[in-house]
Amino acid sequence: MNSMHLPVHQLRADLDAKKYSAQELASSYMKRIHETQKTLNAFITVLSDEEVGKRAAYADELMRVGKTSFLTGIPYAAKDIFLTRGIRTTAASKILKEYVATYDGTAIEKSADAVLLGKANLDEFAMGSSNEYSAFGPVKNPYSLEHVPGGSSGGSAVAVASQQAAFAFGTDTGGSIRLPAGFSSVVGFKPTYGRISRYGVIAMDSSLDTVGFLTQDVRDSAMLLEALAGRDERDSTTIDRPVEKYSEGMEDGVAGMRIGIPKEYFEVDGVQEPVRRSIEDIRALLESLGATVQEVSLPHTRYAMAAYYILTPSEVSSNLAKFDGIRYGTRPLNAKNLDEIYLETRENGFGKEAKRRIMLGAFTLSSNHIDSYYNKALKVRRLAAQDFENVFKEVDMIVCPTTPTVPFKLGERMTDPVSMYVADSLTIPTSLAGVPALSLPVASHNNLPIGAQCIARLFDERTLFRVARTIERELQWTKPRLAI
Amino acid sequence: MDFSKEDIRHLGDLSKMKLSDEEIEHFQKEFTSIVGFIQTLDELDVSNVEPLYQLSGAQSRTGVDVVEQSVVAEDIRSQFPESTDDQHLIVRSVFSKSE
């Protein structure tokens, strides 16, 4: 079967037209996983062919009796931070390497008709920008095996890019969906904070974490949002707003729209020329289609990143306190008392970036330093959010690069954490403001992907999809070739 | 801001992590660089800015009290590799007499 490059909405049409069964579809994806897993390492856990077959047979039965939803029978991957009943959830950490959840989270529950193929690799507890901080080994970029796929939802992005899954769930706290989408040449969407329930997703930075998707095209993101959005009593941060038809009006173009390009996004360290050029091309395209494009200013851009790397460690140090060998984690056999259990479990269970952020959080929250770090960062977050409010009085949408650079080489930034953090410098401000954003593949340079980011007002996902779809439909560019 | 070995060891204690000498040396260098980077916030005057804690304006609300199947006992037991039979969980002692 050769349908694995197709977006979900086309697979849906094919399944409905009985061109193939869900079981046939699932087994062709499984075959592809078996071909690529050793090389790309996109999954931490792959379900057995038998288990996948069972799930697909259930979907076929649902379709046979006419109980078909958008996702029925669609093969997908979930970042291994989404709890799945009976299938282990590791968060890419040694500390949870044997953990099997006793329930499904909301996103998994809402996708019960779809066919889960496996749990995708990530940076440990979703902390990282390259997917190198995984206790289960790094994920490789499918276009160039020496390069990183971006993180932290690297496995999810690569699974979709290399046709091992039709779509994948990811999480985005400071760019963890958009960055790997940009580096892996797929669409990566992060909704407005609170739009999709986080229930059953292991928390990293609760006040910023969002659930989103990696997909083949923009329409898939919109359709998935229709299926996944909505208030959830089990997550008090979900917003109480009606679920809209987000895909409606997607094809209506951009004539008369006002688009902003933030000048500060080209002033951060090391914006590469091909990245700069890709945005110039989009600017020209949007203007030719009748939009007005203007320069806008988000003056606190460079401070947003510093604020993020205070807020996130602070919340991490609190959220990861429960991994202590008593509540979670493998208990050391030789520990003689409570303190030894804690110390040994955490020392052996956490990787480098997790330790770094936990300790930084202990520092930024400590009584001597909380005012100059944590409390100050909360105020800067307000300023970053106000930047967006102000800009959205002038324009309807922002278009900018997803990352300053093309994918970097494996190992290149592992010795300098600040250089790794900089990879998120163009995605973090959006996260602090809670606004929806999407990364779209728009260019390649020496076969390495380049993504562009679209950012909309709070709750205005429809405009986001409409502009992104226009660029997707009209832009001429050279797609990178898969290396495997 | 510079971090001494003692500072790092203290943060390790607060975080309940026993760090090796090698790690302490490593984190000492890294923290000096990371904190140097986050100190760019010192350039901003935020004395008149309200902190922003939460983005979706989460409000506590009362839920409807419905009886439903929660976690199954068997699932809980499966989380305890040290259990011996269907009825009992082995919980290791965590307190010791002080020496």
Side-chain angles (χ1 to χ4, degrees), chain B residues 29-48:
Chain B
K29 282 189 211 126
E30 285 185 354
F31 273 42
T32 304
S33 135
I34 295 170
V35 172
F37 153 69
I38 59 183
Q39 273 174 330
T40 50
L41 293 193
D42 290 349
E43 296 167 20
L44 286 175
D45 176 13
V46 291
S47 45
N48 293 318

Side-chain angles (χ1 to χ4, degrees), chain A residues 389-416:
Chain A
E389 277 171 42
N390 292 335
V391 163
F392 283 129
K393 286 175 192 155
E394 294 170 48
V395 297
D396 305 305
M397 272 284 304
I398 293 170
V399 174
C400 58
T402 303
T403 52
T405 69
V406 296
F408 44 90
K409 285 201 164 157
L410 287 154
E412 194 179 299
R413 301 196 183 184
M414 288 294 272
T415 48
D416 176 7

Side-chain angles (χ1 to χ4, degrees), chain A residues 85 99-100 102 193 207-208 231 236-240 300 302-303 305-307 309-310 326 331-333 335-339 341-344 346-347 350 352 355-356 358-360 362-363 369 373 376-383 385 417-418 421 431-434, chain B residues 1 3 8 11-20 23 26-27 30-31 33-35 37-56 58-59 61-63 71-72 75-76 78-82 90-96 99:
Chain A
R85 184 166 191 265
Y99 174 62
V100 180
T102 53
Y193 179 82
S207 77
L208 295 170
R231 166 90 188 147
S236 64
T237 61
T238 48
I239 41 184
D240 209 354
H300 295 96
R302 59 185 290 254
Y303 302 108
M305 198 170 63
Y309 279 103
I310 294 170
I326 302 289
R331 202 172 300 180
L333 292 170
K336 289 194 275 300
N337 56 38
L338 189 59
D339 239 22
I341 292 180
Y342 288 160
L343 290 167
E344 292 219 2
R346 291 166 69 80
E347 170 64 11
F350 287 131
K352 207 185 240 174
K355 284 182 185 169
R356 197 182 282 140
I358 291 169
M359 286 168 52
L360 257 181
F363 170 73
H369 299 289
Y373 294 100
K376 187 156 196 180
L378 288 170
K379 294 177 172 191
V380 175
R381 177 190 202 162
R382 166 89 57 199
L383 295 174
V418 174
Y421 296 167
S431 294
L432 293 185
Chain B
M1 177 171 177
F3 284 80
I8 298 294
L11 290 173
D13 286 347
L14 287 174
S15 311
K16 294 284 180 207
M17 284 184 299
K18 188 171 66 184
L19 302 173
S20 66
E23 279 180 310
H26 191 79
F27 283 130
E30 285 185 354
F31 273 42
S33 135
I34 295 170
V35 172
F37 153 69
I38 59 183
Q39 273 174 330
T40 50
L41 293 193
D42 290 349
E43 296 167 20
L44 286 175
D45 176 13
V46 291
S47 45
N48 293 318
V49 182
E50 279 297 304
L52 178 59
Y53 291 96
Q54 220 284 327
L55 293 159
S56 64
Q59 292 166 339
R61 17 184 145 198
T62 49
V71 179
V72 184
D75 288 343
I76 301 265
S78 72
Q79 301 290 306
F80 283 77
E82 293 160 357
I90 296 178
V91 180
R92 290 163 57 87
S93 92
V94 291
F95 295 107
S96 60
E99 283 150 29

Side-chain angles (χ1 to χ4, degrees), chain A residues 130-149:
Chain A
S130 66
N131 215 134
E132 290 169 285
Y133 296 129
S134 164
F136 297 83
V139 181
K140 307 283 175 61
N141 191 301
Y143 306 97
S144 167
L145 302 176
E146 291 155 22
H147 289 81
V148 303

